[in-house]
Amino acid sequence: MNMMKNIIKQFTIEGVVEEIRPLGAGHINDSYFVLTTGTSPNYVLQRINHSIFKDVDALQNNIQRVTQHIRKKLVEQGESDIDRKVLTPIKTSNGTLYHQTPEGEYWRVMLHINNSKSVDDISPELALVAGEAFGNFQAMLADLPQPPLVETIPNFHNIEVRLEAFHEATKQDLAKRAEGTKELITELKKRAEEMCRAEQLYREGKLTKRINHCDTKVNNILFDENNKVLCVVDLDTVMPGFVLSDFGDFMRTGANNGKEDDENLDNVFFRMDIFETYAKGYLQTARDFLTPIEVELLPFGAKLLTYMQAIRFLTDYLNGDTYYKTRYPEHNLQRTKAQFKLLQSMEENYTQMCQLIESL
Ligand code: GN1
Ligand code: MG
């Protein structure tokens, strides 16, 4: 606590810090809520996971460019209450976007968005506005001036690279867990070729890359008291990619009836009602820039991102849990099982999903 009070002092914040407490449930960075006295703004303090985000400078620079660009758009649109509609990074007294401690830790601060909430259980009505919000996010960033954003994690959503890492993990079997997961490994390998379709289309010049959020989990949208979307958060992975990523990752989280790591797999199945309204909302704000093939591939995107997440969780399990924070020894395995169950449920609904997109 004292250590964190010292860190927050490095940043140009207003007011007097009253309390610092843990915040949120991210798997990568550590987040804290910084409460100040009186009417001064509150803040979010984060320790950046530097073993995952190796180039913190580039990371913070991306976020600065993205938030400034969105802010400019909001001003032009005559929006009010802009500090609640886009993240505001806070600089250190040296003018830098992060603070490095003598121990080599990296910390950053942003304004906390007051009276906001994230939801894990979404309704069709919320899915509609969430779809609009993520479509709008892509639309606003479509004309971000050059140079391109840095890939903060190279090949982040490249399934071919993820599969290589997976195959390597099954071979090396560092944690001696391959035998116990044989069936899952076989099931996932069966689908590998199909899942490389987007990368293949990209190589053939038929599918383009745009700026994506690349972590459109349902809880990365903040809503206000009246369930209006305020803002998209967690901008660490905003980078060029397929729009399938953002559409798919929302489906993976928002349209899952269960939890990402649900211990009861009966809870885990794909919700067509969420798919339908999210797709409607998304197409409303994104239709202008999407190409026909991007639209056609949206249902595939849902499968792809769910599959990719299963591969990533299982790879981490096989490697001995070095990437994701885990709460118990088999956590990554449970996550894999839940993602795989969701994938199977999407497979069952696939024809219907495609028909729906066509009808929209
Ligand atoms: C990680 O930390 P969080 O929850 O924002 C991960 C995402 C995964 C997600 C799975 C940088 O996101 O890619 O989809 O966990 N972020 C990184 O819940 O790897
Ligand atoms: Mg994230």
Side-chain angles (χ1 to χ4, degrees), residues 215 220 234 236-237:
D215 193 9
N220 277 336
D234 191 358
D236 291 327
T237 50

Side-chain angles (χ1 to χ4, degrees), residues 32-45:
Y32 301 88
F33 175 69
V34 181
L35 179 73
T36 63
T37 52
T39 55
S40 304
N42 300 316
Y43 297 90
V44 176
L45 170 68

Side-chain angles (χ1 to χ4, degrees), residues 223-250:
F223 295 91
D224 73 6
E225 314 80 336
N226 305 317
N227 290 334
K228 284 237 159 60
V229 172
L230 282 170
C231 172
V232 169
V233 298
D234 191 358
L235 306 177
D236 291 327
T237 50
V238 178
M239 61 172 107
F242 305 132
V243 292
L244 312 181
S245 278
D246 282 6
F247 186 85
D249 226 10
F250 190 92

Side-chain angles (χ1 to χ4, degrees), residues 25-29 49 52-53 152-153 156-157 162 213-217 219-220 233-234 236-237 239 249 252-253 260 305 308-309 312-313 323-325 335 339:
H27 297 346
I28 308 291
N29 300 315
N49 187 327
I52 290 179
F53 296 105
T152 51
I153 300 177
F156 187 52
H157 276 180
R162 295 288 177 189
H213 181 277
C214 289
D215 193 9
T216 49
K217 288 195 199 188
N219 56 17
N220 277 336
V233 298
D234 191 358
D236 291 327
T237 50
M239 61 172 107
D249 226 10
R252 181 183 76 76
T253 54
E260 184 179 68
L305 267 287
M308 191 178 322
Q309 197 60 60
R312 292 175 64 191
F313 283 146
Y323 189 92
Y324 295 106
K325 294 184 201 167
R335 286 168 170 156
Q339 296 298 293

Side-chain angles (χ1 to χ4, degrees), residues 27 103 106 141 168 229 261 272 333:
H27 297 346
E103 297 78 34
Y106 292 82
L141 291 173
E168 196 53 32
V229 172
D261 58 353
M272 278 301 289
L333 179 59

Side-chain angles (χ1 to χ4, degrees), residues 18-33:
E18 193 171 312
E19 196 197 338
I20 302 181
R21 55 172 185 259
L23 176 76
H27 297 346
I28 308 291
N29 300 315
D30 299 314
S31 305
Y32 301 88
F33 175 69

Side-chain angles (χ1 to χ4, degrees), residues 244 247-248 251 270 272 274-284 287 290-302 349-360:
L244 312 181
F247 186 85
M251 289 302 122
F270 188 61
M272 278 301 289
I274 300 291
F275 174 79
E276 180 170 352
T277 55
Y278 184 87
K280 271 189 192 146
Y282 177 65
L283 288 174
Q284 258 161 37
R287 195 187 301 272
L290 292 177
T291 60
I293 185 134
E294 286 178 310
V295 178
E296 187 193 316
L297 286 173
L298 292 176
F300 170 74
N349 284 287
Y350 195 60
T351 315
Q352 223 187 320
M353 285 157 81
C354 294
Q355 280 164 357
L356 203 131
I357 290 292
E358 204 174 327
S359 76
L360 292 176

